[in-house]
Amino acid sequence: MQKGLLIVVSGASGTGKGTVCKKILSDLPEVAYSISATTRAPRPGEVDGKEYYFLSVEEFKSWIADGKFLEHAEVYGNFYGTPLNKIEERLNRGEDILLEIDVQGALNVKRKCSEGVYIFLLPPSLEELKRRIEGRGTETPESLSRRMKNALAEINVGLEYDYVVVNDSIENAAEKIKAILTAERLKVSRNEDKFNFDGGF
Ligand code: ADP
Ligand code: 5GP
């Protein structure tokens, strides 16, 4: 059986990672979403255990101490982490797992899991990135300017990924990511068992 794909989608805050990943998850029901833990407060409509596991700082620190994270990072003053949650076992069972995480977290995962598929999402322009963050309506003027200042540094990290996708439209970006996943599943290195014709005619 083919091992599942560890799919990591990352990019600067506001690029549209969450939106594009939602589309992929709805188009590809076989892909499981890795629910992160965070110390930030839930936004309206967010449900504990669905979008995130919402933890206090003390709880988050005890998860770190108990070795429950694959990676964790501080992002804009809050802690975020990917729970290990039997990821390796699930991949071995053939399950595809999607992580939507920030650039520091993605690089940390890449150091540990070289077999993962690392996809960097770019905004069409910095002006459009600013419009998207403003449009989301979740930032104060100070946090908007902090995110814009960080964006260029975050975008440079994209050079270390395997694939780059411009999020011009949600549809286009999702189609490109689906094409990447199709190609990844067809890699010889993931299909060596298919070459085994022992037994002959
Ligand atoms: P991220 O998860 O990268 O921080 P979000 O998914 O929250 O970003 O998207 C930021 C804002 O941009 C949201 O208001 C979302 O609706 C909007 N958005 C995302 N993708 C697109 C797109 N392709 N075109 C226009 N707006 C988009
Ligand atoms: P938000 O608070 O807008 O949901 O997310 C803020 C940032 O944290 C986004 O860039 C998001 O991708 C990132 N993030 C979400 N979950 C994780 C995680 O588990 N680990 C890391 N490193 N970043 C995460």
Side-chain angles (χ1 to χ4, degrees):
M1 119 133 40
Q2 194 177 44
K3 206 175 162 186
L5 297 176
L6 180 72
I7 308 153
V8 181
V9 175
S10 193
S13 169
T15 304
K17 301 182 294 291
T19 310
V20 171
C21 286
K22 241 184 216 147
K23 168 85 179 128
I24 290 163
L25 291 166
S26 98
D27 289 356
L28 303 177
E30 73 275 18
V31 175
Y33 179 63
S34 159
I35 303 168
S36 294
T38 182
T39 59
R40 84 148 162 75
R43 294 182 182 137
E46 286 184 334
V47 176
D48 185 40
K50 186 164 175 259
E51 282 80 9
Y52 282 105
Y53 300 111
F54 293 100
L55 305 182
S56 65
V57 174
E58 291 67 38
E59 285 169 324
F60 197 95
K61 287 186 174 161
S62 85
W63 281 39
I64 297 175
D66 295 343
K68 286 188 178 172
F69 288 120
L70 171 63
E71 64 74 34
H72 58 86
E74 190 178 340
V75 187
Y76 298 112
N78 293 303
F79 295 111
Y80 293 82
T82 306
L84 271 170
N85 205 6
K86 304 200 170 81
I87 286 182
E88 193 56 36
E89 278 169 54
R90 290 162 64 194
L91 292 172
N92 284 334
R93 282 202 304 266
E95 199 176 319
D96 296 324
I97 303 178
L98 174 73
L99 272 53
E100 186 249 285
I101 60 179
D102 92 307
V103 293
Q104 320 163 57
L107 286 188
N108 284 333
V109 177
K110 194 162 188 263
R111 279 180 208 116
K112 292 182 183 172
C113 311
S114 56
E115 287 176 6
V117 183
Y118 296 88
I119 304 173
F120 195 81
L121 208 58
L122 273 179
S125 66
L126 286 181
E127 293 71 35
E128 176 60 16
L129 178 66
K130 186 159 180 264
R131 264 194 296 278
R132 286 184 189 173
I133 302 178
E134 278 170 341
R136 191 168 61 181
T138 50
E139 310 308 320
T140 60
E142 297 73 43
S143 71
L144 170 67
S145 108
R146 195 146 70 108
R147 277 167 201 251
M148 288 308 299
K149 276 197 195 120
N150 273 340
L152 274 181
E154 289 187 323
I155 285 171
N156 271 324
V157 179
L159 290 166
E160 298 193 38
Y161 285 60
D162 300 321
Y163 296 97
V164 59
V165 171
V166 175
N167 178 19
D168 43 8
S169 80
I170 298 163
E171 195 62 46
N172 262 341
E175 284 309 313
K176 285 181 183 147
I177 292 177
K178 285 191 270 177
I180 292 169
L181 301 185
T182 302
E184 282 287 334
R185 290 190 187 103
L186 296 174
K187 273 193 163 166
V188 168
S189 58
R190 298 192 197 276
N191 289 280
E192 282 169 2
D193 57 320
K194 294 200 172 73
F195 290 82
N196 183 359
F197 286 102
D198 275 0
F201 294 102

